[in-house]
Amino acid sequence: MAKIFYSMSGEGRGHAARVRTMTEHLRHEHELVLFAPNEAFDFLAPIYNTPEFPGVEVRKLPGLKFYYTQRRLDLSKSIYQGLKFLGQLKRNVRETVEVIQSEKPDLVVSDFEPILPKAARKCDIPVVSLNHQDFLITYDLSSLPSSLQWYAWAMGLVVKAHHVEKQSTIVSSFFTPQLRPGYDDVLQVGPLLRPDVCEARPSEEGFILSYVRKATTEDTLQLLKACDRPVKVYGLGKRPDDGPLTFHEIDEQRFTDDFIHCDALIGAAGNQSLGEAIYLGKPVLALPESSHHEQMINSHFLKQMGAGTWTAIETFAKSNLVSFLDGLSKFRENLAPYQGQTNGNPPALAAIRKHLPSTSLV
């Protein structure tokens, strides 16, 4: 049995969902300490900091965060707070070095989080990077509009700021274009999938699933009411029913069941949700915020794959919804080669286990 320290970004649930997937596979063999900021801590701590999971502990870690003003992503505030975080990075790394020296993990795994891997390298602990964001510097993005290519270049500087010398770089993504020259050693894997998703037998039971951010406007909800079938909305908490819209608290099992049996997905364009939708064969109408460039990139690749379509949430109109619903059968046809074929769990786990002490391999 090895001890693994595993850190992640805390923005959204995608990072935490990937980490939970890996944790569920590794916890039977090894001891894990999860370092989680913000939303990731709020999601994982109630699950693992319980007697049912004696080999897993979740600890809070400082992290980057997106900020919103009047329900829109506030880039200026997000960047300002990000600079403050970077200004405190050396201090946080020093404090984490002390933890590593005291507890002596065998391996550090990081999902786009800079503190733990930087501390690990100072202690000569091997590091594996497993995330989605490294696509910004390792993938050939020449098929994107020039504005998004420029964004990828600029954000690539931020991604590189997270980097340390590491034993392996694994990029988990629902899209896998060619790698850029010089990155041939990067391992490309599909989405990291929860067990219930891996084992699912998808069906279409006559409703739309919508997973939206808390900042979603009432105008967007009014447009969703124009769907020709019921819409189950997650992400806004419990509310009274509104015509065909029903609102649900985030409950992992119920959400997964609805995902497996919905006709299609409408909502935010995170890599994790798109990856699960494609694995399940569910067409997607992505609604990225125009200022959320990573989700804009995801949306472009979604459309290139023929797995769905997209419009910026600020310009979402009834015509976009009608066109998407009219095209469901074609999207399902395009999804057929991907359905059930994109599970990134086995190659990602193999890459992690390769760097564990030989006596702990199972």
Side-chain angles (χ1 to χ4, degrees):
M1 177 177 286
K3 177 182 283 189
I4 302 172
F5 278 11
Y6 200 146
S7 68
M8 71 212 78
S9 171
E11 178 60 29
R13 286 183 175 245
H15 302 274
R18 284 194 293 269
V19 172
R20 186 177 183 199
T21 294
M22 293 293 98
T23 298
E24 284 303 300
H25 285 280
L26 293 167
R27 68 181 178 84
H28 304 288
E29 311 162 11
H30 309 293
E31 179 184 351
L32 286 100
V33 181
L34 311 181
F35 293 81
N38 307 327
E39 292 180 47
F41 180 85
D42 294 340
F43 173 55
L44 293 172
I47 297 171
Y48 289 118
N49 287 350
T50 62
E52 288 81 8
F53 297 94
V56 184
E57 179 187 356
V58 185
R59 301 180 189 174
K60 198 145 196 177
L61 192 71
L64 292 166
K65 182 177 176 64
F66 288 142
Y67 289 85
Y68 287 80
T69 299
Q70 295 181 345
R71 296 193 173 189
R72 294 193 65 181
L73 179 64
D74 189 327
L75 278 177
S76 297
K77 186 174 182 180
S78 297
I79 291 171
Y80 172 71
Q81 295 294 334
L83 292 174
K84 285 181 61 177
F85 170 77
L86 291 176
Q88 299 168 351
L89 184 59
K90 287 186 178 179
R91 184 191 70 191
N92 290 327
V93 170
R94 285 197 303 270
E95 293 174 354
T96 307
V97 164
E98 295 177 3
V99 175
I100 290 175
Q101 290 174 335
S102 172
E103 301 188 30
K104 297 179 174 57
D106 297 289
L107 178 69
V108 159
V109 184
S110 179
D111 190 320
F112 199 57
E113 190 287 312
I115 297 172
L116 184 64
K118 288 181 181 294
R121 295 313 299 148
K122 289 181 178 293
C123 300
D124 293 322
I125 302 297
V127 177
V128 171
S129 172
L130 170 54
N131 64 43
H132 173 61
Q133 280 70 25
D134 271 359
F135 86 89
L136 289 164
I137 60 173
T138 62
Y139 280 16
D140 181 351
L141 303 177
S142 58
S143 66
L144 294 174
S146 57
S147 61
L148 290 179
Q149 290 187 51
W150 182 91
Y151 164 81
W153 173 83
M155 285 304 296
L157 301 177
V158 177
V159 172
K160 288 178 181 178
H162 283 64
H163 278 197
V164 298
E165 180 185 350
K166 47 191 173 293
Q167 275 59 46
S168 183
T169 298
I170 311 163
V171 180
S172 171
S173 179
F174 71 90
F175 57 91
T176 53
Q178 289 186 331
L179 293 167
R180 293 175 57 195
Y183 290 98
D184 295 339
D185 59 340
V186 170
L187 176 63
Q188 293 175 288
V189 303
L192 305 183
L193 302 172
R194 294 169 289 151
D196 287 351
V197 174
C198 293
E199 300 162 6
R201 294 187 177 183
S203 63
E204 288 80 46
E205 297 189 1
F207 65 91
I208 299 292
L209 178 63
S210 183
Y211 180 56
V212 294
R213 288 180 171 269
K214 293 178 181 178
T216 298
T217 65
E218 290 300 319
D219 289 344
T220 299
L221 296 178
Q222 289 301 311
L223 284 168
L224 290 178
K225 289 169 67 174
C227 281
D228 57 359
R229 63 202 82 186
V231 182
K232 297 186 179 184
V233 181
Y234 286 84
L236 300 178
K238 184 65 177 174
R239 298 185 181 187
D241 297 351
D242 186 4
L245 307 185
T246 56
F247 297 87
H248 307 274
E249 297 283 359
I250 294 292
D251 175 274
E252 187 174 14
Q253 188 58 57
R254 181 171 181 174
F255 178 79
T256 301
D257 289 343
D258 285 341
F259 209 161
I260 292 168
H261 301 298
C262 70
D263 293 356
L265 175 69
I266 299 176
N271 173 70
Q272 191 66 27
S273 59
L274 295 185
E276 292 188 356
I278 289 168
Y279 181 83
L280 294 171
K282 305 297 182 181
V284 180
L285 172 56
L287 301 175
E289 296 176 68
S290 59
S291 56
H292 199 311
H293 298 87
E294 185 183 320
Q295 291 204 1
M296 292 285 284
I297 291 173
N298 291 343
S299 299
H300 275 275
F301 280 110
L302 171 78
K303 188 171 182 178
Q304 287 180 23
M305 294 170 68
T309 188
W310 69 276
T311 181
I313 195 167
E314 297 90 344
T315 58
F316 183 33
K318 185 176 179 179
S319 58
N320 304 121
L321 180 62
V322 171
S323 177
F324 171 67
L325 295 173
D326 287 346
L328 287 181
S329 59
K330 181 62 177 176
F331 293 135
R332 290 194 186 102
E333 182 180 328
N334 295 339
L335 279 161
Y338 302 105
Q339 185 173 343
Q341 303 300 312
T342 57
N343 186 358
N345 296 356
L349 286 164
I352 290 173
R353 288 175 173 135
K354 185 172 67 174
H355 299 292
L356 292 170
S358 59
T359 55
S360 70
L361 292 178
V362 176

